Amino acid sequence: MSISDVRRFNRTVTQRIGALSDTYMARDRPLGQARVLWEIGPDGCDVRSLRSRLDLDSGYLSRLLRILENDGLVEVEQNGDDGRVRTARLTAQGLKERTVLDQRSDDLAASILDPLSESQRARLITAMAEVERLLIASTVTVGIVDPRHPDAKYCLQSYFDELGARFDAGFDHARTLSASTDELTRPAGLLLVATLHSEPVGCGALKFHGDEPAEAKRMWVSPEVRGLGLGRRLLTELEKQAAAHGAPALRLETNRNLTEAIGLYQAAGYTEVPAFNDEPYAHHWFEKQLAKG
């Protein structure tokens, strides 16, 4: 890994797109203000969603919105009786400014592509797509979350919903082997939740059994972020947690329709073994020996 390579890339990009100027796109505002204006969009945007989407500190975003309000480009209004919920909307002048920014952004993109040959353009676009994908992957955070937390509940319900849609005979939560709230709370077990821009996008759980192999449960990744390697990342973190807890191995079972999961487990070094439980929805059982934590 070369830190200097990443830093050089960052310097090149910020200079090439004009991020260093305090008059971005030759307008009277820097990039931060222009980006917030664009993200609000023609339909307006909840301020909390705006902050989450842009990963901005609430105080800094408030200052940006205040500047845009003072310039007559944005209005921020409260929603109903809850003063904590606010929506930012573009004024007529703000909509005009956003249209100008859109056009100038198109012009900037064209200025980057025009000097290149067709093959160079194709290479650049392909490289940009790969860089974007990897940057998004690096933005995802994974941590232990109380299974009672709303993010955890969202992931678990999404997991159940997907199983119901993909299994041949549907999925009845009451029939599957238990992984209750208490069983997924330390010291009995734990639940990992992955988030992207503060939104839950994946989960994975462990059940501990003393000196016996731990069980991996409730592995799910949102369709919106599949292909970013998040499933492998969650599985690796579960293995680390299990090893740190003293488990000699990690076991899991899965359904034959979850072909992506089966491929993930095989690629991660799991060996198919005889059934070690009576999970009614399972067709395959896997196990992997763990290094001591």
Side-chain angles (χ1 to χ4, degrees):
M1 179 178 65
S2 175
I3 298 298
S4 61
D5 289 338
V6 174
R7 293 183 59 184
R8 183 172 62 251
F9 175 81
N10 290 343
R11 291 194 298 271
T12 300
V13 171
T14 52
Q15 180 177 350
R16 185 64 182 88
I17 68 172
L20 303 180
S21 173
D22 59 359
T23 56
Y24 184 65
M25 298 288 183
R27 310 303 288 171
D28 294 329
R29 59 190 51 82
L31 174 59
Q33 295 176 29
R35 179 62 186 275
V36 169
L37 186 72
W38 191 89
E39 288 288 347
I40 291 172
D43 299 322
C45 183
D46 178 275
V47 173
R48 286 187 295 190
S49 297
L50 191 65
R51 183 172 66 245
S52 174
R53 188 189 309 164
L54 295 176
D55 289 328
L56 292 178
D57 173 81
S58 58
Y60 180 58
L61 177 59
S62 293
R63 291 193 293 274
L64 291 177
L65 289 172
R66 195 174 304 118
I67 292 171
L68 295 173
E69 282 187 283
N70 291 339
D71 288 345
L73 303 175
V74 169
E75 294 176 343
V76 180
E77 58 191 30
Q78 294 182 357
N79 289 353
D81 298 328
D82 191 346
R84 297 171 300 176
V85 180
R86 300 182 300 153
T87 299
R89 300 188 186 279
L90 299 182
T91 64
Q93 184 180 349
L95 288 168
K96 291 179 181 178
E97 179 66 14
R98 189 177 187 276
T99 299
V100 173
L101 286 172
D102 252 349
Q103 182 57 57
R104 295 198 177 186
S105 295
D106 286 347
D107 293 342
L108 174 59
S111 74
I112 294 173
L113 295 172
D114 286 347
L116 305 178
S117 67
E118 286 295 331
S119 62
Q120 287 176 319
R121 292 174 190 173
R123 287 166 52 202
L124 178 60
I125 295 301
T126 299
M128 283 179 166
E130 179 70 0
V131 168
E132 180 184 20
R133 187 179 70 85
L134 294 174
L135 286 176
I136 292 173
S138 74
T139 304
V140 175
T141 61
V142 175
I144 299 174
V145 173
D146 189 314
R148 303 163 188 82
H149 189 280
D151 287 352
K153 291 182 177 179
Y154 170 82
C155 288
L156 293 172
Q157 187 58 55
S158 298
Y159 166 81
F160 295 139
D161 291 344
E162 179 162 349
L163 295 191
R166 296 187 63 177
F167 286 4
D168 295 331
F171 178 78
D172 181 357
H173 183 198
R175 290 187 59 211
T176 190
L177 294 180
S178 69
S180 66
T181 296
D182 289 341
E183 290 176 303
L184 302 186
T185 301
R186 290 183 289 185
L190 59 83
L191 177 70
L192 298 176
V193 171
T195 58
L196 175 62
H197 305 312
S198 302
E199 297 296 326
V201 294
C203 65
L206 286 176
K207 290 172 62 177
F208 298 127
H209 301 290
D211 295 332
E212 298 298 314
E215 288 183 81
K217 308 292 289 185
R218 308 303 191 241
M219 282 279 293
W220 174 78
V221 173
S222 170
E224 297 179 357
V225 296
R226 288 177 189 172
L228 299 182
L230 181 53
R232 182 62 175 266
R233 182 175 169 188
L234 282 166
L235 185 60
T236 299
E237 184 60 29
L238 290 176
E239 293 172 0
K240 290 179 180 178
Q241 292 287 343
H245 197 270
L250 186 58
R251 287 176 169 177
L252 52 88
E253 71 279 340
T254 192
N255 185 278
R256 62 189 171 204
N257 290 324
L258 302 181
T259 54
E260 309 97 318
I262 294 171
L264 169 64
Y265 304 143
Q266 292 173 333
Y270 284 76
T271 301
E272 189 156 5
V273 296
F276 47 76
N277 60 28
D278 57 355
E279 169 59 55
Y281 293 104
H283 300 102
H284 302 276
W285 287 259
F286 291 95
E287 182 174 295
K288 180 178 181 179
Q289 298 299 309
L290 300 175
K292 292 184 178 180

